[in-house]
Amino acid sequence: MTETGKYNNMDIRLVAVDLDETLFDSQKRLPEENRLACEEALSKGVQVVIATGRPYNGIPAEALKLKGLRYAICTSGASVYDLKEHICMYHDPMPRNRVTELIAGLMPMPVLCDVLIDGHAYIDASKSPLIDGIIAANSFKQYFRTSREEVPDILAYIRNHKMEPDKVTVNFLKEPGGAPYYKEEAAAWCAQFDDMVAVSGGVGNLELTKSTATKGAALLWLADRLGLKQEQTMAIGDSGNDYDMLVKAGFSVGMANSEPDVLKAVDYITKSNNENGVAYAIRKFVL
């Protein structure tokens, strides 16, 4: 997008930032420039908010160390947490019976699905050998291994858990040519659940939440809770699970490394996640 003066009068008071491939570089590290820009905004009273598909307990320590960070939108918008009080402020979960039906149809397929409940993530132990083969960087595979708890029977675990699930993620193996294996079949099964929304968190997965649980809905809920107007919000993201947030924010910024649909939808395209694109956008429009 070309440089114009039309952004000069914005009053951004809340910035929602995706983590993977946005705030973090491709090695899942938090660049120093991004950290400094976020902390400077926070020190000036701007709410910089994490907006991630990860569960609460999967937020990396690097992100949690941001000075002044108070809120996090988790599980693709199904929950919002107060990080200072360690409480879930907002929750829009999926019906337990619908999730068990969804998972029952996915289990026979050669895909790796996990279920996020109450800030934690679970996989069926029989599926753990598939982690090595999913379409993801080695850094993500390591995160997945350390953040997912194996249970002997995922369907029984869901049925017996006291909390309803927030999200289901379907991760795909790689075909010889590099395409996601069995994605069409899994997507067709998921499409039957019209009370859920399925988005992409990257080439190698699908993320399902309740149809009303999106990053955008959570962003607007939090802004209202903080007494802010929609036009005072800015969102920064790169992939399909950010799309709703980018569309609903008062001002939207896509990373240069974003998926094509994201690049078409945003108000501004910043530098890539390996070029401190978040810091560039915050300094340009907020500081």
Side-chain angles (χ1 to χ4, degrees):
M1 184 172 290
T2 58
E3 300 288 330
T4 71
K6 72 176 186 177
Y7 307 125
N8 293 341
N9 297 321
M10 292 193 300
D11 177 31
I12 302 298
R13 307 306 302 167
L14 189 159
V15 182
V17 184
D18 174 56
L19 289 183
D20 298 304
E21 305 303 319
T22 299
L23 183 65
F24 288 173
D25 64 20
S26 296
Q27 300 303 313
K28 306 298 181 186
R29 300 171 303 199
L30 175 59
E32 183 70 0
E33 279 300 310
N34 285 351
R35 182 187 69 78
L36 290 172
C38 288
E39 290 186 345
E40 185 175 345
L42 286 161
S43 72
K44 293 184 176 181
V46 177
Q47 290 293 347
V48 176
V49 177
I50 289 171
T52 180
R54 300 187 188 210
Y56 173 63
N57 282 359
I59 300 174
E62 274 191 295
L64 293 174
K65 289 178 182 177
L66 288 171
K67 294 177 183 177
L69 181 68
R70 180 70 184 265
Y71 303 106
I73 296 169
C74 299
T75 52
S76 299
S79 56
V80 178
Y81 282 83
D82 182 323
L83 301 173
K84 181 179 179 180
E85 301 296 332
H86 304 287
I87 58 171
C88 181
M89 307 166 59
Y90 169 91
H91 194 213
D92 192 7
M94 309 162 81
R96 187 181 294 105
N97 64 324
R98 294 292 281 164
V99 174
T100 53
E101 184 181 353
L102 173 69
I103 297 294
L106 291 170
M107 282 298 291
M109 299 183 188
V111 299
L112 175 63
C113 52
D114 60 328
V115 182
L116 280 58
I117 309 174
D118 193 25
H120 299 264
Y122 305 91
I123 61 170
D124 193 286
S126 68
K127 293 285 189 175
S128 62
L130 299 181
I131 296 175
D132 287 337
I134 62 175
I135 302 174
N138 288 333
S139 55
F140 179 84
K141 293 176 184 179
Q142 181 58 27
Y143 155 72
F144 199 94
R145 291 188 191 96
T146 57
S147 62
R148 268 54 180 175
E149 180 179 339
E150 294 183 19
V151 294
D153 184 339
I154 191 67
L155 290 172
Y157 190 84
I158 297 168
R159 292 189 189 103
N160 296 330
H161 204 284
K162 64 180 180 179
M163 298 285 288
E164 290 187 313
D166 291 332
K167 176 180 170 182
V168 173
T169 303
V170 187
N171 299 276
F172 300 103
L173 305 179
K174 185 184 295 185
E175 290 183 343
Y181 180 55
Y182 233 77
K183 184 174 183 177
E184 289 185 8
E185 294 85 346
W189 171 252
C190 294
Q192 300 178 64
F193 295 80
D194 56 7
D195 54 341
M196 301 179 189
V197 59
V199 297
S200 171
V203 175
N205 78 3
L206 286 176
E207 301 180 356
L208 292 100
T209 57
K210 187 178 176 182
S211 59
T212 54
T214 64
K215 286 186 180 181
L219 168 63
L220 295 182
W221 179 90
L222 181 59
D224 183 69
R225 176 73 175 258
L226 297 175
L228 300 175
K229 300 176 182 178
Q230 182 180 13
E231 56 265 32
Q232 292 178 296
T233 65
M234 182 170 92
I236 311 176
D238 73 291
S239 67
N241 73 356
D242 301 315
Y243 188 91
D244 184 73
M245 173 177 75
L246 293 166
V247 170
K248 289 179 178 173
F251 185 72
S252 58
V253 176
M255 307 300 293
N257 52 284
S258 296
E259 295 175 1
D261 287 347
V262 169
L263 294 176
K264 294 175 184 177
V266 295
D267 296 309
Y268 184 83
I269 299 171
T270 186
K271 298 179 180 181
S272 77
N273 66 313
N274 291 319
E275 300 171 301
N276 306 312
V278 167
Y280 185 85
I282 288 177
R283 294 196 181 284
K284 180 176 180 62
F285 299 115
V286 181
L287 297 177

